[in-house]
Amino acid sequence: MTIIYHDLDVRPILKNGGEPFGAIMQAVAMLDPGEGLRLLATFKPTPLFPVMEAKGFASEASEIGGGDWQVLFRPTGVAAEEPVLAGPDSGAGEWPEPARTLELGDLDPPEPMVRILAAAEEMQRGEVLSALLSREPMFLFPELAKRGHAWRGAFEADGTTYRIFVRIGAAKAGAA
């Protein structure tokens, strides 16, 4: 069976400092059964692979030159059930002051996510990590949830700096 691929080029979004996750999910929602997505990006979007796998897509990535990547997301027909894990903090309760702060605004994706996850692995349960980023880390959120961490985040008043706080090893959703 031949798969029809719909093209989505997120390179302009990334080059302008934007976050393409919403555009990607919108494109996926527009696909008919059996159709795939051909994604063009300025980096290999490794964090997107498990998200798409959970939606029933296999991925095949190839570098196309100049640091750009093409990823074919092929439907498998099998979507995984998304686990209920920790997630965004509801705002209840006080958080301790950050034990560690990372300034990552000058790094290109996926490096900020890689560094945040590595730092979180070195921290103790209940400690808080703070990070400054140049964009909202949409691909980071599901990775934090899988690891049982809670987070709070928002753009600073300048509108260009995103600050995220990650509480290490937060209780799973629904736990007391």
Side-chain angles (χ1 to χ4, degrees), residues 94-154:
E94 292 294 318
W95 282 31
E97 288 296 314
R100 187 163 181 191
T101 299
L102 302 173
E103 302 223 5
L104 307 171
D106 58 342
L107 299 175
D108 291 326
E111 192 61 27
M113 181 176 82
V114 170
R115 291 193 186 187
I116 289 170
L117 293 174
E121 290 296 315
E122 298 170 356
M123 297 176 69
Q124 299 296 313
R125 182 178 182 83
E127 288 184 321
V128 173
L129 168 68
S130 170
L132 296 173
L133 309 162
S134 62
R135 64 187 78 193
E136 186 174 12
M138 297 302 294
F139 295 130
L140 176 64
F141 300 144
E143 295 302 317
L144 292 172
K146 278 192 238 178
R147 289 163 172 80
H149 306 313
W151 67 88
R152 294 178 177 175

